[in-house]
Amino acid sequence: MNNFILVDNPLVKRDVTILRNKDTDSAAFRAALNRVSYALAIEIAKIFEVIEIEVQTPLELAKGFRLKKQVVLVPVLRAGLSMVDAFLKMIPEAKVGHIGLQRDEKTLQPIDYYYKTPGNLDKSVTIVLDPMLATGGSAVASFNSLKAKGAGKCVLACLIAAPEGIHKMEIEHPEIPIFSASLDRQLNEVGYILPGLGDAGDRTFGTF
Ligand code: PRP
Ligand code: URA
């Protein structure tokens, strides 16, 4: 799993526990996912390149930095929406695209229903936000669409990843790093992550 980076610290562990708990309501679920997203954003930012600039302090000229590339955040609807706010707080200059995908419950294949991204993806760092990497179908389809629009450097930010999804990404998009707050055991017979947290979209928006 050369493409996998576990974002692991005590606060993230605590929040993943809150997110797994079946008794956590949607408001607390969104709040915990928001906090984990800050940790993911900070960890992912370590791969950003910077350009050295000068900044005038009240006292003297100092060395400073700015990000070399435009950052584009691409939440996968619906569940990825809850990750946007924290990423935008950390990277306020980021642009935001959206990809709408829904897994067919029988075939587990992603069905795409919306795509809108900003231009110049080739010169940007594109971060796909999706809490769940299960079979990997949605992530692979997202990066297929983004690459078809010319995307250059890409990253996947997720909350829980299954080995099956990581493996599929490794085959289809081996150069794309996957940052995740947890590596879970396996998928069940209907494509849900074990132990997982259930349906991330439903738990985020209360659509049970
Ligand atoms: C969930 C999740 C991912 C996808 C992961 O979305 O947010 O997008 O499943 O599964 P995969 O790796 O097997 O493709 P879902 O299709 O349930 O849509 P929703 O967010 O609208 O509920
Ligand atoms: N999508 C989810 O929301 N949860 C899973 O466990 C798998 C796919």
Side-chain angles (χ1 to χ4, degrees):
M1 292 193 193
N2 294 326
N3 55 345
F4 184 76
I5 299 108
L6 183 68
V7 176
D8 187 22
N9 76 48
L11 296 178
V12 169
K13 281 189 165 80
R14 183 231 19 224
D15 281 327
V16 171
T17 307
I18 291 170
L19 288 156
R20 289 193 196 282
N21 187 338
K22 68 177 178 48
D23 295 327
T24 298
D25 66 18
S26 290
F29 189 92
R30 288 193 297 270
L33 184 48
N34 182 260
R35 289 193 296 271
V36 172
S37 299
Y38 279 107
L40 288 167
I42 289 165
E43 203 59 34
I44 289 171
K46 290 180 182 169
I47 69 166
F48 293 170
E49 294 172 78
V50 289
I51 291 177
E52 215 173 291
I53 56 171
E54 285 189 330
V55 59
Q56 181 68 54
T57 79
L59 299 173
E60 61 178 35
L61 213 53
K63 192 166 82 172
F65 302 93
R66 69 171 174 82
L67 299 186
K68 185 172 175 185
K69 290 188 174 174
Q70 172 73 51
V71 175
V72 176
L73 306 173
V74 183
V76 177
L77 308 179
R78 294 172 295 163
L81 289 174
S82 288
M83 302 172 74
V84 177
D85 191 53
F87 273 80
L88 272 181
K89 288 256 165 49
M90 295 307 300
I91 318 165
E93 64 272 56
K95 295 185 177 176
V96 184
H98 293 87
I99 292 181
L101 287 172
Q102 169 110 51
R103 279 199 323 177
D104 181 296
E105 283 180 11
K106 290 210 171 63
T107 65
L108 300 183
Q109 293 306 305
I111 302 163
D112 60 306
Y113 59 88
Y114 189 77
Y115 181 92
K116 181 85 178 172
T117 49
N120 295 327
L121 289 179
D122 54 327
K123 300 185 193 75
S124 306
V125 180
T126 302
I127 307 175
V128 168
L129 309 176
D130 191 337
M132 308 306 276
L133 178 66
T135 65
S138 303
V140 166
S142 300
F143 289 113
N144 285 346
S145 302
L146 288 161
K147 285 183 179 176
K149 296 283 181 186
K153 187 158 186 56
C154 292
V155 179
L156 174 62
C158 53
L159 168 68
I160 293 185
E164 292 88 336
I166 296 170
H167 186 58
K168 191 172 172 79
M169 278 291 293
E170 203 165 25
I171 292 168
E172 303 286 340
H173 298 292
E175 81 290 1
I176 296 179
I178 300 165
F179 289 77
S180 178
S182 177
L183 170 59
D184 275 17
R185 194 176 72 247
Q186 66 183 97
L187 299 181
N188 70 8
E189 61 286 353
V190 287
Y192 275 83
I193 300 175
L194 297 175
L197 49 71
D199 188 304
D202 285 345
R203 297 204 57 196
T204 301
F205 296 109
T207 48
F208 302 106

